[in-house]
């Protein structure tokens, strides 16, 4: 039994919650009566919490000199990771529940029963605030019931209050069909609420050491074929648009008004930073361009995702569609050879929308996954994917940022799965692969790791400078150590065109000494500018 929720317990809760959501992923997806990505709630929650766990794993137990407590820091990392990786309505709302939870207890010395109740109430308020038009009978109702029951327990005993909250959430979930007619017609409970119940049960398990076997309420009738519209909103709107936005709060207020006039299912949530923060924007519209333009007016939108609901209308139990392909963007002859060996069509680095579209059409496949391997190319890939629909080709973009992530994604491809399920598996594999790049500084600059001078060796993890050194081999070994400190079973090394002879051999030998149970694979990548690319899975 734990009497407080410390940082270690937060990490265990995130890991246990993710494992539980994966166990129930198919069940939660099947609760949906809506054949759209926004309705794949189990999958969306898994991907959202996967991002939260990655944020915790990359932290390496660092704690700011001032600010939140250790448990508050861990909770804020979890919430921030969930926000940046949130998928669909339910994922975005979950990120706000976690944010409100973290904000409430970040500064308190210990999280006991009454603090947990206050955290759940704060998470409830944040979730309701995030939704432009709150609907009862959803995850909002479930989290509100959990908070009310926790407050009613009026106890400092943490496991007791957590158990009361989890039971109340399950009871509220069972009542959701009485509140939402679409659920009643389909004979199911709310999928997002079911996901929250799974997470609360995971918290109880972490606190008590005992797993709660609490199945979802049994639907009154079998789920009909996918004929109902979508998780939230009306059939009037044809597209789901989602993106991250760096902007000031006052600009986001105008964005909310603009998007509310364009469509429905609007959720805009932020990370709470001032004066400028990161916001996750989700809306259903007909005018995609106007929605994205509203984001441009408010700030800097990125990771833009657009899905046409009509393209998602095939039944989840339908047959696997033949004729699939993968298109991968690659810079470096060795990397291109690796992708070609995996059966992918390779496009040289920094392609145009037209070049990517030509590559997609050249595959002759009806279903194509694109791996951009670069943040800038991701937007180009999304544009090419939209254009491909005009030719009857369904394209999904897996947002890989490095070739090592693309290799991880391609390694799990399975042609016997539904295309959508295969894309999800590839995205999960890519997301689970942390990446680093080692290069030489081209000019003097001030980085988050300190000042650097021309010629210094820089090690960037997930795009951020983590180490500055003078010796290439030592810095490469050090960044691998730092990444493996957050966990990992396999290391992939890609040597650049200018890498000195023996670099990957030296790093491999270092890993064998320091991390004897970690598997290492090294290849000649041939990429310019970066003597070494690193992937950790």
């Amino acid at each position: 039994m734990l009497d407080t929720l410390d940082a270690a317990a937060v990490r265990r809760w995130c890991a246990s919650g993710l494992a539980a959501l994966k166990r129930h992923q198919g069940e939660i997806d099947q609760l949906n009566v809506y054949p759209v990505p926004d309705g794949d709630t189990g999958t969306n929650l898994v991907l959202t919490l996967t991002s939260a766990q990655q944020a915790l794993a990359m932290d390496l137990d660092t704690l700011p000199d001032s600010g939140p407590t250790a448990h508050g820091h861990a909770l804020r990392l979890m919430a921030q990771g969930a926000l940046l990786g949130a998928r669909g309505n339910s994922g975005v709302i979950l990120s706000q529940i976690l944010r409100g939870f973290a904000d409430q207890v970040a500064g308190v010395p210990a999280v006991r029963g009454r603090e947990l109740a206050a955290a759940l109430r704060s998470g409830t308020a944040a979730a309701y605030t995030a939704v432009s038009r709150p609907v009862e009978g959803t995850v909002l109702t479930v989290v509100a019931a959990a908070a009310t029951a926790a407050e009613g327990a009026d106890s400092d005993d943490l496991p007791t209050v957590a158990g009361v909250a989890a039971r109340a959430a399950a009871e509220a979930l069972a009542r959701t069909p009485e509140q939402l007619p679409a659920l009643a017609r389909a004979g199911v409970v709310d999928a997002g609420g079911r996901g929250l119940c799974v997470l609360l049960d995971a918290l109880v398990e972490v606190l008590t050491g005992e797993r709660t076997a609490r199945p979802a309420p049994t639907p009154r009738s079998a789920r009909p074929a996918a004929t109902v519209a979508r998780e939230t909103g009306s059939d009037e709107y044809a597209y789901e648009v989602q993106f991250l936005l760096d902007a000031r709060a006052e600009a986001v207020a105008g964005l909310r008004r603009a998007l509310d006039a364009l469509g429905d299912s609007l959720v805009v949530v932020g990370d709470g930073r001032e004066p400028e923060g990161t916001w996750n924007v989700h809306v259903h519209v007909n005018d995609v361009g106007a929605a994205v333009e509203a984001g441009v007016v408010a700030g800097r939108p990125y990771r833009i995702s657009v899905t046409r609901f009509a393209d998602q209308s095939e039944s989840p139990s339908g047959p696997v569609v033949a004729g699939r392909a993968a298109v991968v963007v690659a810079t470096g002859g060795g990397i291109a050879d690796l992708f070609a060996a995996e059966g992918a069509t390779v496009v040289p680095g920094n392609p145009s929308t037209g070049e990517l579209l030509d590559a997609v059409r050249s595959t002759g496949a009806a279903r194509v996954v694109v791996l951009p391997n670069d943040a800038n190319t991701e937007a180009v890939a999304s544009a090419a994917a939209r254009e491909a629909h005009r030719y009857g080709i369904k394209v999904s973009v897996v947002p890989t940022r490095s070739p090592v992530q693309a290799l991880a994604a391609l390694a799990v491809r399975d042609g016997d799965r539904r295309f959508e399920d295969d894309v999800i598996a590839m995205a999960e594999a890519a997301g689970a692969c942390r990446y680093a790049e080692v290069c030489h500084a081209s000019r003097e600059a001030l980085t988050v790791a300190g000042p650097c001078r021309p010629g210094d060796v820089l090690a960037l993890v997930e795009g951020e400078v983590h180490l500055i050194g003078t010796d290439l081999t030592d810095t490469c070994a050090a960044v691998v150590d730092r990444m493996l400190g957050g966990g990992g079973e396999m290391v992939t090394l890609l040597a650049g065109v200018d890498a000195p002879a023996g670099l990957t051999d030296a790093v491999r030998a270092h890993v064998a000494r320091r991390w004897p149970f970690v598997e290492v694979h090294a290849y000649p990548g041939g990429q310019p500018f970066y003597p070494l690319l690193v992937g950790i899975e």
Side-chain angles (χ1 to χ4, degrees), residues 364-384:
R367 301 287 186 269
V368 180
V369 62
V370 176
L371 305 168
N373 295 336
D374 177 79
N376 295 326
T377 306
E378 187 178 331
V380 175
S382 296

Side-chain angles (χ1 to χ4, degrees), residues 48 169 189-190 241 298 307 311 326 338 367 375 378 398 418 484 530:
T48 299
V189 295
D190 179 67
V241 178
T307 303
D311 296 329
L338 290 172
R367 301 287 186 269
E378 187 178 331
V398 175
R418 272 197 328 135
L484 286 174
Y530 297 95

Side-chain angles (χ1 to χ4, degrees), residues 312-410:
Q312 307 299 319
S313 59
E314 62 184 81
S315 170
S317 59
V320 174
V321 179
R324 303 187 194 179
V327 172
V328 189
V329 179
T331 302
I335 294 174
D337 291 343
L338 290 172
F339 291 145
E342 292 290 337
T345 297
V346 180
V347 179
N350 197 29
S352 66
T353 301
E355 289 169 336
L356 268 181
L357 179 61
D358 288 345
V360 167
R361 296 183 65 191
S362 73
T363 66
R367 301 287 186 269
V368 180
V369 62
V370 176
L371 305 168
N373 295 336
D374 177 79
N376 295 326
T377 306
E378 187 178 331
V380 175
S382 296
R386 291 193 295 272
E387 289 298 310
H389 283 303
R390 296 170 52 193
Y391 299 94
I393 306 171
K394 182 174 182 177
V395 177
S396 290
V397 179
V398 175
T400 52
R401 298 298 179 91
S402 170
V404 292
Q405 290 187 316
L407 289 172
L410 290 172

Side-chain angles (χ1 to χ4, degrees), residues 129-131 251-261 266-270 279:
T129 300
V131 180
V252 172
L255 173 68
R256 289 179 191 271
R257 291 190 295 271
L259 293 181
D260 195 41
L266 174 62
V267 183
V268 181
V269 298
W279 306 77

Side-chain angles (χ1 to χ4, degrees), residues 491-495 504-505 508 520-524:
V491 177
T492 300
L493 305 174
L494 297 178
T504 55
D505 290 338
R508 184 199 295 270
V520 181
H521 296 278
Y523 306 98

Side-chain angles (χ1 to χ4, degrees), residues 40-57:
D40 290 338
T41 305
T43 299
N44 285 340
L45 291 175
V46 165
L47 295 176
T48 299
L49 209 63
T50 295
S51 180
Q53 188 182 46
Q54 289 167 357
L56 283 169

Side-chain angles (χ1 to χ4, degrees), residues 153-231:
D154 193 25
S155 170
D156 277 331
D157 186 270
L158 181 60
T160 295
V161 174
V164 167
R167 286 192 295 274
E171 292 166 0
L173 175 68
R175 294 192 298 269
T176 55
E178 302 169 15
Q179 300 168 293
L180 201 57
L183 297 175
R185 287 194 298 269
V188 297
V189 295
D190 179 67
R194 172 57 174 154
L196 180 64
C197 287
V198 169
L199 285 180
L200 290 176
D201 286 341
L203 176 60
V204 173
E205 179 183 345
V206 167
L207 297 176
T208 65
E210 299 176 0
R211 177 174 295 182
T212 303
R214 202 191 314 271
T218 303
R220 295 192 307 276
S221 60
R223 182 168 79 92
T227 57
V228 186
R230 57 204 74 204
E231 183 179 4

